[in-house]
Amino acid sequence: QVHLVESGGGLVQPGGSLRLSCSASISMFSVYNLGWYRQAPGKERELVAAIGGGGNTNYADSVKGRFTISRDNAKKALYLQMNSLKPEDTAVYYCNLNGFGKNIWGQGTQVTVSS
């Protein structure tokens, strides 16, 4: 069974940075599309950033220029570097792996941006 485990969330002041990590237990990790989603209280889950098997990326407009998604296929890991954090970035962040009939979610990690 495939598992995704996120880490790196926490409490940070506005303007600060955090790096989220997601580790996967799956073979042929490099062929899958990966993404980071977030869900704030009372809101729907939304895509934050995605990276394809070929390394192509896309970002939500609200995080462009502040967040960077990356992957390390050798380590079967996905990352999200978040800079210049704002209170509106507060949410539970989820790692997602999809493709070839799979759509797997991690358990989520809380990110809180507050002074």
Side-chain angles (χ1 to χ4, degrees), residues 12-76:
V12 63
Q13 292 187 343
S17 297
L18 282 175
R19 188 191 194 212
L20 305 184
S21 299
C22 173
S23 62
S25 59
I26 188 171
S27 60
M28 299 183 67
F29 174 82
S30 63
V31 305
Y32 293 98
N33 299 317
L34 304 170
W36 287 100
Y37 289 73
R38 67 187 181 187
Q39 188 167 18
K43 296 188 177 182
E44 294 186 354
R45 190 172 297 187
E46 62 175 359
L47 175 68
V48 175
I51 184 166
N56 53 303
T57 59
N58 66 283
Y59 296 89
D61 287 343
S62 59
V63 307
K64 283 180 181 177
R66 300 188 298 123
F67 291 9
T68 302
I69 189 171
S70 61
R71 63 192 294 167
D72 185 330
N73 291 330
K75 295 182 178 180
K76 297 184 180 181

Side-chain angles (χ1 to χ4, degrees), residues 6 14 18 23 36 50 68 74 88 107 113-114:
E6 299 101 334
L18 282 175
S23 62
W36 287 100
T68 302
E88 52 263 43
Q107 83 286 354
V113 185
S114 174

